[in-house]
């Protein structure tokens, strides 16, 4: 299954009674397996989770640990970028060169890398003296 097909399909299941903004994310792990996630909101707004976080949780739960490629889709005027927190979550499991494709449901897309999205990323190496 392509990342676009997986993210488009899972987006339909997004639980978004508050924002009404459905997001789908799909990632291909280094093993080749595709994992998908959608946003899941909560009446206590900060408890909601992003689509990217759902896809990463599915990957880790299944036993994969490295991301080879990511795609995010929403019904947005411009290709939807991962939020700041999700950029850090993706960077935990992806090399800086990994492609993140931002998509709209009407066919626009923009390819970026993890490094484009999060320059100067905080990594475990920054804690080497701890
Ligand atoms: N959202 C995502 O799921 N991923 C993104 O990359 C951007 C934002 C969700 C969070 C919330 O449910 C809704 O979109 C509006 O912010």
């Amino acid at each position: 299954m392509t990342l676009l097909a997986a993210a488009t399909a899972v987006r339909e299941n997004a639980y978004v009674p508050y924002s009404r903004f459905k997001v789908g994310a799909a990632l291909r792990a280094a093993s080749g397996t595709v994992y998908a996630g959608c946003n899941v909101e909560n009446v206590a707004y900060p408890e909601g989770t992003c689509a990217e976080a759902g896809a990463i949780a599915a990957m880790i739960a299944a036993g994969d640990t490295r991301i080879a490629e990511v795609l995010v889709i929403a019904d947005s005027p411009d290709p939807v970028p991962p939020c700041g927190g999700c950029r850090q979550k993706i960077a935990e499991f992806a090399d800086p060169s990994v492609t993140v494709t931002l998509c709209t449901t009407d066919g626009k897309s923009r390819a970026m890398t993890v490094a484009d999205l999060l320059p100067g990323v905080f990594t475990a190496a920054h804690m080497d003296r701890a």
Side-chain angles (χ1 to χ4, degrees):
M1 174 169 286
T2 66
L3 293 186
L4 179 60
T8 299
V10 75
R11 178 179 165 275
E12 293 303 326
N13 297 336
Y15 176 76
V16 292
Y18 308 106
S19 74
R20 305 268 171 212
F21 186 65
K22 292 183 171 190
V23 184
L27 61 85
R28 188 179 310 281
S31 67
T33 303
V34 171
Y35 299 97
C38 56
N39 47 338
V40 182
E41 297 184 345
N42 191 280
V43 64
Y45 291 2
E47 301 305 326
T49 51
C50 287
E52 296 89 332
I56 289 169
M59 177 189 77
I60 295 298
D64 270 312
T65 54
R66 294 303 294 172
I67 297 172
E69 197 182 348
V70 184
L71 183 145
V72 185
I73 189 165
D75 182 10
S76 181
D78 289 305
V80 65
C83 76
C86 285
R87 294 175 195 212
Q88 185 75 42
K89 289 184 176 80
I90 292 167
E92 182 76 14
F93 304 106
D95 292 339
S97 61
V98 161
T99 300
V100 182
T101 304
L102 322 180
C103 299
T104 67
T105 52
D106 61 2
K108 290 183 200 158
S109 70
R110 179 178 182 198
M112 302 186 76
T113 66
V114 169
D116 291 333
L117 288 167
L118 193 57
V121 60
F122 174 65
T123 68
H126 292 104
M127 298 191 293
D128 275 355
R129 291 185 189 167

